[in-house]
C-alpha cells in the first residue's frame, strides 16, 4: 500500500502536524509506503527519518506572510499550490492508494481539493478543527468569548463580528469557506473525527457535502520514564498557546483562588498579562523532553479548560498516560478521556468550578489516586502510535477495496458512520 500524507509543515508546531508526523512514522513502521508532502519549507522532524517515508516539499509560502491583498487572494484560492501539488502527485513513481490531508489553511487553500479529488485515490481528511464548515475554523465567537451556534455562511454568520483579528479577516475567511463549498460539491470525502463531540457537531454542519464519517483516536507518544508523582507537584500546569479561547486566563484565576501556583508552558497573546500576575510562571515554548521534565517535577494536575469545542488536545492524553490528573473543559473532546472524579475532573470552563477541582487536588491522596488511575486506564487501552497506525491501515484497506469497486461493508456509502476501529 502507498499512502500520501499531506500537511503544511514537517515539524510539530501544533497538534495537527504532530498527528500527521506520528501517523506517517507509525504507518511506515507497519510496512506501508508513505509519501509525506510538506507545503511550507522548514525543518523536518526526525520521525520522518525512515526508509519507508519519502518526503516532498512544495516550497509554498505561509500565506499570512505575504501580507494584505496577496495573502487574502492566496487564502481564498492559491493557484500555485494547486499546480505544484498536481505536479508532485503526477511525478510519484507509484500511484497512491490513499491521500490523507491534515492541514490546508496556511498555504494550500481550497484550490487543492479539486486536484486531490482527481488524483484517483480516496481522499481522507482528519478534522483537527472545524475549518471544513466554519469560516474562522473553530466555531467560536471571539467577540463574545463563547461557542458559536450559527449556521455557517448563513446571513447571521456573515454579519457576526466573530473573527479573532478583524472584520476584514472575517470577509476573507467567508470567501474562503464559500469557495471551499464550491470546490467540494459533489466530490466524495472521507473525514476522520478524533472525538465523538466533533462527530456530533460537524455531522449537521457538513450536511451539504458527500461525506463519509469515520472515528479514530489521535496517537499518543508516551513519555519515557517512571510514572509521574503528582502528589509531590506544587503547581497547576497548562501547556499550549496562551489564549482566552483555550482558557489560559481561567487557569491563572482558578489556581490563585485555590491557593496554588500556575505553570504555563507555551506562548501567545496573553503572555504579558499572565506574567504580570502573582503566583504565575510562564516559561515559553519548550522542547518535548523539557516539557515532560517540568510536568513530572511540578505538575499536580494538567488543566485544559477550553472555551471552544476543542477536538483532541494531545497534551491531555499524554498527561493521563504519564499518570498526571487532568482538569478538562466539558466542551472539549478531551473530556471523553477523563473520568470525572477518577482520573481528573470534567468541569465547565469557568473560574468557580475550576477552582473547586484545583482545591480538591491540593490533597495529596486525591492527586496520587487520580494520577495512578489515569495511568492504569491508559495502559489498559493505549492510544499508541502503533494502535493509531493499525486503525488507519484498516480504514485505508477498506477504502481501497471500495475504490476498486468491491464494497465490503453494508454502510460503505456517503453519510455512513463508522465506529472507532480497533487495532488488529
Amino acid at each position: 500500500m502507498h499512502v500520501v500524507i499531506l500537511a503544511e509543515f514537517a515539524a510539530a508546531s501544533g497538534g495537527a502536524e504532530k498527528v500527521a508526523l506520528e501517523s506517517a512514522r507509525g504507518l511506515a513502521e507497519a510496512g506501508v509506503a508513505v509519501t509525506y508532502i510538506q507545503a511550507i519549507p522548514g525543518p523536518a522532524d526526525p520521525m520522518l527519518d525512515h526508509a519507508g517515508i519519502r518526503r516532498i516539499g512544495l516550497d509554498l509560502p505561509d500565506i499570512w506572510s505575504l501580507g494584505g491583498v496577496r495573502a487574502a487572494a492566496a487564502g481564498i484560492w492559491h493557484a500555485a499550490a494547486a499546480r505544484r501539488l498536481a505536479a508532485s502527485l503526477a511525478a510519484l513513481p507509484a500511484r497512491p492508494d490513499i491521500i490523507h490531508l491534515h492541514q490546508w489553511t496556511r498555504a494550500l487553500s481550497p484550490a487543492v481539493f479539486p486536484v486531490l479529488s482527481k488524483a484517483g485515490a480516496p481522499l481522507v481528511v482528519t478534522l483537527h478543527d472545524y475549518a471544513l464548515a466554519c469560516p474562522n475554523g473553530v466555531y467560536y465567537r471571539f467577540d463574545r468569548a463563547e461557542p458559536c451556534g450559527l449556521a455557517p455562511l448563513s446571513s447571521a454568520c456573515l454579519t457576526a463580528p466573530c473573527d479573532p483579528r478583524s472584520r476584514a479577516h472575517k470577509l476573507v475567511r467567508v470567501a474562503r469557506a464559500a469557495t471551499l463549498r464550491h470546490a467540494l460539491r459533489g466530490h466524495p470525502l472521507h473525514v476522520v473525527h478524533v472525538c465523538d463531540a466533533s462527530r456530533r457537531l460537524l455531522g449537521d454542519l457538513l450536511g451539504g457535502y458527500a461525506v463519509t464519517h469515520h472515528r479514530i483516536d489521535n496517537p499518543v507518544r508516551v513519555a519515557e520514564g517512571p510514572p509521574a508523582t503528582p502528589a509531590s507537584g506544587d503547581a497547576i500546569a497548562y501547556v499550549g498557546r496562551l489564549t482566552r479561547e483555550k482558557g489560559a486566563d481561567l487557569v491563572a484565576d482558578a489556581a490563585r483562588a485555590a491557593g496554588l501556583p500556575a505553570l504555563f508552558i507555551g506562548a501567545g497573546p496573553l503572555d504579558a498579562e499572565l506574567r504580570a500576575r502573582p503566583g504565575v510562571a510562564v516559561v515559553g515554548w519548550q522542547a518535548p523532553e523539557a516539557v515532560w521534565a517540568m510536568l513530572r517535577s511540578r505538575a499536580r494536575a494538567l488543566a485544559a479548560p477550553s472555551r471552544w469545542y476543542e477536538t483532541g488536545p494531545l497534551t491531555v492524553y499524554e498527561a493521563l498516560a504519564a499518570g498526571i490528573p487532568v482538569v478538562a473543559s466539558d466542551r472539549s473532546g478531551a473530556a471523553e478521556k477523563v473520568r470525572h472524579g477518577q482520573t481528573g475532573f470534567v468541569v465547565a470552563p469557568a473560574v468557580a468550578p475550576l477552582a473547586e477541582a484545583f482545591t480538591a487536588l491540593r490533597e495529596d491522596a486525591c492527586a496520587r489516586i487520580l494520577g495512578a488511575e489515569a495511568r492504569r486506564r491508559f495502559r489498559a487501552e493505549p492510544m499508541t502510535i502503533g494502535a493509531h497506525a493499525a486503525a488507519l491501515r484498516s480504514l485505508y484497506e477498506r477504502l481501497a477495496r471500495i475504490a476498486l469497486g468491491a464494497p465490503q461493508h453494508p454502510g460503505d456509502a456517503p453519510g455512513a458512520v463508522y465506529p472507532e476501529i480497533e487495532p488488529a
Side-chain angles (χ1 to χ4, degrees):
M1 174 172 285
H2 176 206
V3 174
V4 168
I5 293 178
L6 177 57
E8 292 185 309
F9 298 94
S13 60
E17 303 99 323
K18 194 171 185 181
V19 173
L21 294 166
E22 295 185 354
S23 64
R25 181 62 180 236
L27 289 166
E29 291 179 348
V32 176
V34 176
T35 297
Y36 190 99
I37 299 182
Q38 168 188 357
I40 299 172
D45 192 284
M47 293 203 77
L48 295 179
D49 294 335
H50 188 282
I53 301 176
R54 172 199 304 266
R55 186 164 64 92
I56 296 173
L58 299 182
D59 294 324
L60 295 167
D62 183 333
I63 59 171
W64 294 115
S65 70
L66 299 175
V69 175
R70 290 182 64 206
I76 296 167
W77 191 265
H78 198 182
R83 289 194 300 270
R84 293 185 193 181
L85 177 59
S88 294
L89 292 173
L92 292 176
R95 187 183 72 83
D97 298 291
I98 299 289
I99 299 175
H100 197 144
L101 174 63
H102 283 272
Q103 300 162 297
W104 58 274
T105 58
R106 293 280 294 273
L108 297 171
S109 86
V112 302
F113 282 93
V115 173
L116 297 173
S117 296
K118 296 174 183 176
L123 174 59
V124 178
V125 182
T126 292
L127 302 182
H128 300 285
D129 53 30
Y130 302 98
L132 276 186
C134 169
N136 72 26
V138 292
Y139 205 54
Y140 183 79
R141 294 288 301 267
F142 286 89
D143 57 323
R144 296 182 176 181
E146 64 185 25
C148 184
L150 304 176
L153 299 187
S154 65
S155 58
C157 167
L158 298 180
T159 57
C162 60
D163 196 85
R165 296 194 180 192
S166 67
R167 287 183 179 271
H169 280 87
K170 172 66 181 286
L171 291 174
V172 173
R173 295 184 209 265
V174 164
R176 181 181 68 187
T179 304
L180 176 66
R181 281 195 180 185
H182 179 76
L184 285 176
R185 185 170 293 124
H187 295 293
L189 182 68
H190 294 271
V191 298
V192 171
H193 298 276
V194 301
C195 66
D196 295 336
S198 164
R199 170 64 186 94
R200 289 192 297 270
L201 179 61
L202 276 168
D204 294 332
L205 301 182
L206 296 178
Y209 296 143
V211 170
T212 306
H213 298 272
H214 307 271
R215 171 71 175 86
I216 298 177
D217 276 331
N218 279 333
V220 176
R221 193 188 308 185
V222 181
E224 297 294 333
T229 55
S232 63
D234 70 313
I236 300 297
Y238 172 103
V239 181
R241 187 163 162 75
L242 308 182
T243 65
R244 295 194 194 282
E245 67 270 18
K246 290 179 73 71
D249 57 314
L250 297 175
V251 175
D253 290 339
R256 184 177 184 184
L260 288 167
L263 170 65
F264 291 89
I265 304 174
L270 298 184
D271 192 300
E273 175 185 325
L274 293 172
R275 289 179 186 274
R277 299 190 185 200
V280 169
V282 180
V283 298
W285 294 114
Q286 302 289 323
E289 297 77 12
V291 170
W292 286 105
M294 291 180 193
L295 292 179
R296 287 180 182 280
S297 64
R298 293 205 59 190
R300 185 159 281 257
L302 179 84
S306 293
R307 290 180 169 102
W308 74 286
Y309 297 124
E310 194 167 9
T311 54
L314 293 175
T315 52
V316 166
Y317 309 141
E318 292 165 349
L320 293 170
I324 299 173
V326 170
V327 180
S329 166
D330 58 7
R331 297 176 186 171
S332 169
E336 297 166 17
K337 299 298 183 185
V338 179
R339 297 294 178 266
H340 184 75
Q342 299 177 49
T343 64
F345 298 99
V346 178
V347 300
V351 172
L354 285 167
E356 183 178 353
F358 295 167
T359 299
L361 285 159
R362 289 185 60 177
E363 297 294 327
D364 290 349
C366 178
R368 181 172 56 254
I369 291 169
L370 267 58
E373 179 64 7
R375 182 173 170 85
R376 186 195 70 77
R377 283 181 176 268
F378 178 86
R379 293 173 73 87
E381 297 181 78
M383 301 159 57
T384 62
I385 295 175
H388 178 75
L392 285 177
R393 186 170 184 173
S394 179
L395 171 62
Y396 296 161
E397 288 172 349
R398 186 170 66 235
L399 297 184
R401 288 195 299 268
I402 297 169
L404 292 174
Q408 300 293 315
H409 190 289
D412 285 329
V417 181
Y418 295 97
E420 180 177 339
I421 302 169
E422 295 296 332

